Structure formats: C-alpha cells, structure tokens
Amino acid sequence: MDQVFTAQQVTDHVYWVGAVDWSIRDFHGYSTSRGTSYNAFLILGDEPILVDTVKAPFRDEMFQRIASVIEPSSIRHVISNHSEMDHSGCLPDVIERIRPRTVFASAKGAEALARHFGLSGVQAVADGQAMTLGGAELRFYETRMLHWPDSMFTYYAADRVLFSSDAFGMHLAGTQRFTDEMPWDVVEQECAKYYANILLPFSKLVLKLVGRLEELALPLKVIACDHGPIWREGLDRIVELYVKWATQAPTRKAVVVYDTMWGSTARMAQAVVEGLVAGGAWAKVLPMGGSHRSDVATEILDAGALLVGTPTLNQNLFPTLADVLTYLKGLAPKNLVGGAFGSYGWSSKAVGQVADALEAMGVEAVAEPVESAYVPDAQVLQRCRALGRAVAGRLAAFGGDGA
Ligand code: FEO
C-alpha cells in the first residue's frame, strides 16, 4: 500500500505517530463536532519505544506514520498509559506484528489489558518508578481515576516530555500538532468541553495531581496529551485552567435547560430568563430540542446556577430532560443553585421529578418549583420571573464576565 501518512517530529527524539479522526461526531455520548485525534508517540533511541497506540480502525495510519521514521519491527518497548480502547485498540495488533520485548502499563493497566484483550505478560510499573530503556530515562506516575483506574503519566527526561494520556487533551482534529498553531479560543473551548465531559467528576483528584506536579517540579518542555494538539507553549496556562475548572467557583452565569411540547415550558423558560437578567445574572439558554447534553455540561463548568424546565409526558419528565439530567448526575457538578419549572396537562408529575433529580445532584433549590396547568397565565409567568430573580439574588455575590 502506498504511504500517505507520515510522522511529525515533536522534540529531538519524540515523533507523533497517531491518527486523526476527522469524522467522529459522538465519543461515547460526548458530541465531538470538531473530530479528534488519537495520539501515539515514538521515542527514538537505542531501543525505540512506542507510547500508546490508537483506536483499532486507525491501525494502518499509525503503522504508516511509524514506518515513515523507523522500521516498525525495530520498536523494542511499548508503554500503555491508559487501557481505554481509543488508545489500546490496536495494541494486540502491535504486539503481534512488532513483537516488542516488553509492554509496560500501571498495575491496574496490566489488569485491564488482560481483561480487554486477554493480553498476558504486560509488565506493571509502580507509581514513581524510574527506568532506563536503551538510554531513555523514563519515570512513571500513576494518575488513578484521571480518568480510569489504570491511567498513568510517563515522563521522558532527556526531552522533558510528559506523556499525559487523556489529561490536558481535547477532541480537536487538525493537521496542526501543537496548540500554539491553533486559535486559542478554539483550544480553550475544546479543553473546557473535554474537562467538563470527562474529568469533572474527578475534580478533587485533579487538584491533588496539580499539587503533585508542583512538588515533583519536573522540567517540562512538552505536555504530550493523547487527544488533539499537544502543548509546547502555554503549559502553565492549561494547568491553571485545570485548577480553575476543578475548583468550580460559582459565577453569575445561570444555565437554563428546557424542552417544550406546545410552547408552554418555553414561555416559562423565557420568563425565568427575564427574572435572572432583571436580578443581575446572565443566562445561557439551552433548548434541548437543539442542544447536546455535552454542551450543557460544558456550559455548567463556569456557571453558578442550573434551572431546568420540562413538560409532563405520560406522567414523566420529557425524554430529552431525562437524558441530560442522567448525564449531568454522572458528571457530579458542584457549587450550583437552581430550580425546576414546567407545564403539564392533566397530571403534574414531571416538574417534581426534575426537582428530585436536581436535589440528587446536589443543586440547591432556591425556590419552590413552578408548575403550569396547560398554558402559563400571567400569574405563573410572574412566579417564573420570581424564580429567576431569586436565583440571581443568590448569584449576586459572584463574578463572571458574561463571556
Ligand atoms: Fe482517550 Fe480515556 O481515553
């Protein structure tokens, strides 16, 4: 087969040999409107090392990129920082074709690779372990639950590269390999989306990890993440953003999420928004008929409030709201106040279900839910405005530039 994919040099000894997935639009429930990449890296030395692999269908692309630098069979070692299949999917093929001398993973990674693929013989490395392979000095750091139990970082001392697995990455396809080659607003937006949809539930561990990185004080030139462009500039900036996102400090921003059958809940949502704005907050409105759950998660990352409106359908909340509330519950956002509202016909059930779901998520209700039988009248709309004002009152102490 003619070669169409080539490696891209990252540092003196490190080459990117991953794959770009331009067409993916759904990454296990997360909308990836800009595609993604699966980053794998080659460390060249006396004993070439492959760090991570790519999703199974991209195997040939990775092998072509490797072959543009070295004969793939000359790879002596493989390091699997994370066993999720977007990074390990073609590891069995790699092992079969290359027959590396050793495959390394964390202890949990070795266990997971055995369960995923029946791989035996993966050598477990310990947290903090140092190792020299063909002259390449490496150190391994477990990053458990960031975001799987097996996740780890690998540090390559000579070129000061931290292979950070999913951390500090983003779903963003491109021909550019470095974040500084792409518009910063796009990079920041996609990193925020990645954090909100993947790492948010583990925010306490993120803060611990940042503390550990500060203690380790590893000299860093590049953070080579496993998705999207990698970092050779702005390393401090992305770490600072991780601290900000992990802290989840509330702002004056309120996220209003709703769906509607005949326009009644939509009118209520608009009245809630009027109340929010009149009270000095600002609102991001996400009608679920045209919004994706993962964009709701992203908007919540820098918000102080979540208000949710639903019609009642067959004595239940509307399916799109059930979807987004289930998703958000798993992401466990913190430091939010909010409230519930919605219309019903002959059976008032759904708004209470939303209120219960918000309570289960730890969202503090600042007022009673607002319900409307059929079409909201002036009194109901006034109560919706009051709900918005009450929420805005709770957010008044916080900042936020309304961006
Ligand atoms: Fe990109 Fe957790 O895999």
Side-chain angles (χ1 to χ4, degrees):
M1 194 192 302
D2 290 338
Q3 178 157 329
V4 291
F5 299 109
T6 55
Q8 288 175 267
Q9 190 163 11
V10 175
T11 60
D12 287 348
H13 303 94
V14 175
Y15 284 77
W16 175 83
V17 290
V20 180
D21 188 345
W22 294 97
S23 61
I24 189 170
R25 291 294 177 269
D26 186 304
F27 192 99
H28 59 48
Y30 166 157
S31 77
T32 46
S33 55
R34 290 185 168 110
T36 194
S37 69
Y38 313 109
N39 298 338
F41 301 94
L42 205 51
I43 303 175
L44 296 187
D46 294 343
E47 298 178 10
I49 304 162
L50 179 65
V51 181
D52 289 320
T53 68
V54 298
K55 197 173 170 182
F58 294 86
R59 178 195 56 195
D60 291 344
E61 181 173 340
M62 183 190 71
F63 273 116
Q64 283 196 21
R65 292 193 197 278
I66 293 170
S68 73
V69 185
I70 57 167
E71 168 54 43
S73 61
S74 67
I75 290 172
R76 288 290 171 270
H77 311 282
V78 178
I79 296 169
S80 173
N81 278 327
H82 178 29
S83 65
E84 193 163 7
M85 280 77 96
D86 49 333
H87 309 296
S88 67
C90 64
L91 183 57
D93 287 335
V94 166
I95 292 171
E96 193 182 323
R97 177 164 165 186
I98 291 175
R99 306 223 169 263
R101 195 181 304 153
T102 42
V103 178
F104 297 102
S106 67
K108 291 280 182 191
E111 211 177 289
L113 291 169
R115 288 177 182 234
H116 284 155
F117 307 111
L119 291 179
S120 58
V122 175
Q123 192 169 316
V125 292
D127 181 38
Q129 185 174 339
M131 185 183 286
T132 301
L133 297 173
E137 187 193 322
L138 302 170
R139 276 171 250 166
F140 305 101
Y141 299 101
E142 284 187 357
T143 58
R144 282 194 189 191
M145 297 319 298
L146 292 175
H147 69 119
W148 275 23
D150 61 281
S151 302
M152 71 172 188
F153 287 177
T154 297
Y155 179 66
Y156 172 47
D159 288 6
R160 292 179 282 158
V161 178
L162 184 68
F163 298 100
S164 66
S165 185
D166 282 328
F168 309 119
M170 69 215 84
H171 287 312
L172 177 55
T175 53
Q176 308 95 315
R177 285 282 62 79
F178 299 97
T179 56
D180 56 273
E181 297 172 323
M182 302 186 107
W184 172 254
D185 59 335
V186 172
V187 168
E188 183 175 359
Q189 190 182 29
E190 292 302 337
C191 282
K193 186 171 185 178
Y194 194 91
Y195 188 95
N197 285 276
I198 302 286
L199 293 167
L200 189 64
F202 312 110
S203 288
K204 277 188 185 168
L205 295 174
V206 168
L207 293 174
K208 271 192 180 174
L209 174 69
V210 171
R212 189 175 186 203
L213 287 175
E214 282 168 1
E215 274 171 29
L216 289 167
L218 300 169
L220 285 185
K221 189 172 161 193
V222 167
I223 294 178
C225 45
D226 267 358
H227 293 291
I230 65 179
W231 301 87
R232 65 181 173 186
E233 286 181 16
L235 276 60
D236 290 346
R237 206 168 173 188
I238 185 60
V239 174
E240 279 165 21
L241 282 171
Y242 263 48
V243 171
K244 177 185 156 191
W245 294 329
T247 306
Q248 294 179 71
T251 68
R252 275 185 289 133
K253 171 184 174 183
V255 176
V256 180
V257 176
Y258 73 93
D259 212 329
T260 197
M261 290 169 67
W262 297 105
S264 292
T265 303
R267 291 185 68 189
M268 296 175 78
Q270 190 50 47
V272 168
V273 171
E274 284 176 19
L276 285 164
V277 174
W282 66 279
K284 182 73 182 183
V285 183
L286 293 159
M288 290 313 296
S291 308
H292 195 275
R293 65 179 86 85
S294 53
D295 292 321
V296 175
T298 311
E299 292 296 343
I300 282 174
L301 189 60
D302 63 351
L306 171 63
L307 295 116
V308 179
T310 182
T312 292
L313 179 65
N314 298 326
Q315 304 194 56
N316 264 306
L317 70 170
F318 207 64
T320 51
L321 277 312
D323 178 300
V324 72
L325 286 169
T326 301
Y327 189 73
L328 293 178
K329 186 181 176 195
L331 294 173
K334 298 281 186 291
N335 305 328
L336 294 170
V337 298
F341 60 93
S343 74
Y344 64 93
W346 53 97
S347 168
S348 164
K349 287 275 169 70
V351 177
Q353 292 168 4
V354 167
D356 290 347
L358 290 175
E359 187 181 358
M361 282 168 55
V363 177
E364 182 192 339
V366 301
E368 287 297 311
V370 182
E371 294 176 304
S372 173
Y374 291 108
V375 177
D377 59 17
Q379 200 178 19
V380 168
L381 292 175
Q382 194 49 41
R383 288 179 56 216
C384 289
R385 286 187 201 97
L387 172 61
R389 268 189 178 273
V391 169
R394 290 293 299 276
L395 303 185
F398 306 127
D401 57 11

